[in-house]
Amino acid sequence: MSDTERPPVLDQDRVANDFLALLRGDSYLSSGIAAIRVLYDILNNTDASTTFQVIAELESATSAMANAEQASLCVLTACEIFTRYVTLTPSEILDNRDFRVVLGFYRNRAYQFLQRSANSPNFIARIACAFMPRDGTVLVHSYSKVVLRVLATAKMSNSIGSKFRVFVTESRPDFSGRRMYEELVRHGFDATLILDVSVGSLMSSVDVVLIGAEGVLETGGIINKMGTLNITDSAKVMNKPVYVVAESIKFVKKAPMSKREITHIALYPQKPINMSLNITEARDASGLFRRFETDYNNDDKQNHYQQVDYSPPTNINLIITDLGIFPPEAVGGELVKLYA
Amino acid sequence: MASRKKEDLVELRAKLLMGIKRSATREPSLKLATEVLTFLMRLVRHEKYDKVETLLEVLHENGSLITAAYPSEFVIRNLVLAVSKIARDEGFRSDISDATSAFNSLTRLWIDRRKDDTLRVPLKDFREKLIDGVRELQTEMETCRENIVRIGTELISTGDIVMVHSLNSSTTIQSFLKDIREKHKLRIMSVQNSSEPLNNDFPVEDYIKLCEAATKMAHVTKVVLSAITVFPDGSCLLPPGGRSICLSAQRHNVPVYVLCAFYKIAPYFLPDPSIIIKHTLPGLPFGMARKFAGRVRVLQPAIEYTEPGLVSLYVTNTTVINPHHVYRIITDYYHQGDVYDSPDFQKDEAALNSEKLGLGAPAHIPPVNDPLKA
């Protein structure tokens, strides 16, 4: 095969379907790790004959997955770090005329990366469970697989004890907090579902705030489900420790300058608020409870909400990753090593 | 011969632990650090090993025994980790020549440290190199006080009013003040507990109580404290009263300089300060004990946890460093593999299998394809 002959174009739909099938098959699988698994398969089955073609294939697979249903920021970052890691080779190997040797090298690297990333939630849970309070309250936000794993590990780990209770925010409007609540109850936790708006007043009875992250930025700040900024701000004011648990595949090499840039980085679409919800039990002007029905037009562009928000590094105490435990200031240094 | 040496080691360890127990009050940490390092040097010299892995196991075993006896003395733990890092460095250096390329550093970041094969290679001259490394550490420890004093005195100028704390228990602060007094004309205010004897062989202008520190802070220009331990995020443990002084200093915008030798800087974090706080003096005066027994609990913590924002600068024996940058010097003395991959974790790993947690197995890892047959 000559260098000018391009490999067959990647079937984007098939890639997206494989990705979604993996996610549906295991509900505790992180989307970043599922994406890496898909890329690993592509790399093993590729017909590419140059590094350029390999990278092009991986990038086209990345965009296919990013456009899929359950896309998230972590898919993009995981794929980018995977591609960089796999294709970083010492010059002795690259100079080899036979591309199969180089490809074999890439496949080895990919396997190492996949193995390590797949184990990273376990590693994080091990080192993070020391930070859970013995006999206190943990506040968590929305649904996060890593946070769930940390809590479950802390409960099982004999040296910590398992008496802490958990407050979960409801996290409207998609009610992902309810899903977290159901999981926690299933695992035997003393869990309480709280309103998003009550975080400020309940912060005084909380001992530790534990949140996941969709992305960890170069500044040390995090991008997470909308509502996180409220929580971290209240925690800071009340001097409660905020611990972020995130795998290193979620590190994003970007520093946002403004709130608008967050949207740009996160690539999350704005979602419309469901205006046709029946709001019951609200008091009207005369002080009586009445049943309200709203009848707004859903296409009204004004009533959209942002899905994620940015919490600055000053609100965060420690970021716990599979590369170690860092204060937020140290993230930039680690990122340089990852992206060097 | 070997068994006699082994008994000697057990005896040495027991002697070390008894020495710590015998002291009634908290002794200056340099003494403890020197004793621990001497013990570790003997261990390195006399124990039987030819591979890095064996030595690390021996270190870990002995280290965990002595730290278990005094879990709140972080200095012991730090020194065991420092010697372990020297061992790993010597092992690694002999194996890979080109350690600084981007490829190697990224690979090292990602390779599963427990399965790192370089540790299993037997090495010649390993023992000599290791002994040299530990000896360097000993020299650094012997000179650390002079270095701290030398570096720190540049921060103080003539006409300053300096507030210090725990003067009696910290020999570092005593040397520090002696030195600056020779160089500059200044006033020293020492915060004393009422039960502590006055340090008469050291001239101090004002002796004040902790309750007066806040009011006097308005006149103070610099605060100098001595840390017990410093953590990578810049937080520290101070003798009791230290945190209150830092808070008053913050209110009056007075810089707080904290002196700490390198063996006080820990590579791990303390999740919950209350677990290591030990209480020193008996809580109640003896005469009142009968009347209040069972009804009153008087807390006299020996250590206070201070946030990184309250300290202006840390003065170590090599550098003056901002609290938010302490994590950068951690890598000079400690290795990540020791901090995060200790054998204790591996014991728990089997128990904490994902399937037992009910969270599903990790992502299915496919079998390795032979790259040349692909």
Side-chain angles (χ1 to χ4, degrees), chain B residues 268-302:
Chain B
Y268 41 81
F269 289 90
L270 193 65
D272 183 9
S274 61
I275 54 177
I276 52 100
I277 301 238
K278 47 179 192 169
H279 298 277
T280 50
L281 310 171
L284 287 174
F286 193 70
M288 291 186 183
R290 193 169 144 244
K291 210 156 90 173
F292 294 125
R295 293 187 209 159
V296 173
R297 192 170 155 226
V298 179
L299 301 174
Q300 297 249 32

Side-chain angles (χ1 to χ4, degrees), chain A residues 31-53:
Chain A
S31 47
I33 297 175
I36 293 173
R37 181 78 177 81
V38 168
L39 289 187
Y40 175 77
D41 282 337
I42 291 174
L43 190 65
N44 270 345
N45 300 326
T46 184
D47 294 328
S49 53
T50 63
T51 308
F52 179 77
Q53 287 171 358

Side-chain angles (χ1 to χ4, degrees), chain A residues 174-188:
Chain A
D174 58 357
F175 292 101
S176 47
R178 290 199 178 203
R179 188 177 163 202
M180 183 69 155
Y181 173 74
E182 277 156 26
E183 293 281 352
L184 287 171
V185 166
R186 203 161 67 79
H187 280 88

Side-chain angles (χ1 to χ4, degrees), chain A residues 26 28-29 33 37 40 44 85 88 90 100 104-105 107 109 111 113-114 116 118 122-123 126-127 130-131 134 148-149 152-153 156 187 243 248 318 323-325 327 329-330 337-338, chain B residues 102-103 106-107 109-114 232-233 269-271 275 324 327 336 340-341 345-346 349 351-352 354 356-369 371-372 374:
Chain A
D26 179 359
Y28 297 111
L29 185 62
I33 297 175
R37 181 78 177 81
Y40 175 77
N44 270 345
Y85 181 76
L88 185 68
R100 284 190 316 158
F105 179 81
R107 285 172 179 158
R109 300 268 290 179
Y111 179 68
F113 190 96
L114 177 61
R116 202 187 180 287
N122 279 333
F123 183 77
R126 263 186 351 208
I127 57 178
F131 291 87
R134 286 263 174 79
L148 185 59
R149 195 175 284 269
T153 312
M156 260 195 70
H187 280 88
Y243 301 129
S248 53
L318 289 178
L323 295 175
I325 305 178
E329 306 88 41
K337 285 185 213 162
L338 272 179
Chain B
F103 169 70
L106 189 60
T107 309
L109 194 67
W110 283 90
I111 278 180
D112 188 353
R113 290 178 284 265
R114 278 169 281 144
D233 60 349
F269 289 90
L270 193 65
I275 54 177
H324 296 292
Y327 67 88
Q336 264 217 326
Y340 294 114
D341 288 333
F345 274 151
Q346 292 180 43
E349 177 123 36
L352 296 177
S354 276
K356 280 197 195 160
L357 287 177
L359 289 180
H364 167 64
I365 314 291
V368 189
N369 297 329
L372 290 178

Side-chain angles (χ1 to χ4, degrees), chain A residues 18 36 42 62 109 112 139 149 186 197 238 333:
Chain A
D18 285 344
I36 293 173
I42 291 174
T62 308
R109 300 268 290 179
Q112 271 179 351
L139 175 66
R149 195 175 284 269
R186 203 161 67 79
V197 293
M238 305 284 290

Side-chain angles (χ1 to χ4, degrees), chain A residues 5-22:
Chain A
E5 202 179 307
R6 310 204 56 199
V9 173
L10 203 63
D11 183 359
Q12 303 242 336
D13 287 332
R14 196 173 57 84
V15 167
N17 285 336
D18 285 344
F19 172 62
L20 290 173
L22 268 175

Side-chain angles (χ1 to χ4, degrees), chain B residues 40-47 49 83 127 130-131 134:
Chain B
L40 291 172
M41 175 65 114
R42 296 244 175 87
L43 197 153
V44 162
R45 256 191 227 275
H46 299 306
E47 274 295 302
Y49 55 87
V83 172
R127 195 184 289 257
L130 187 56
I131 291 176
V134 179

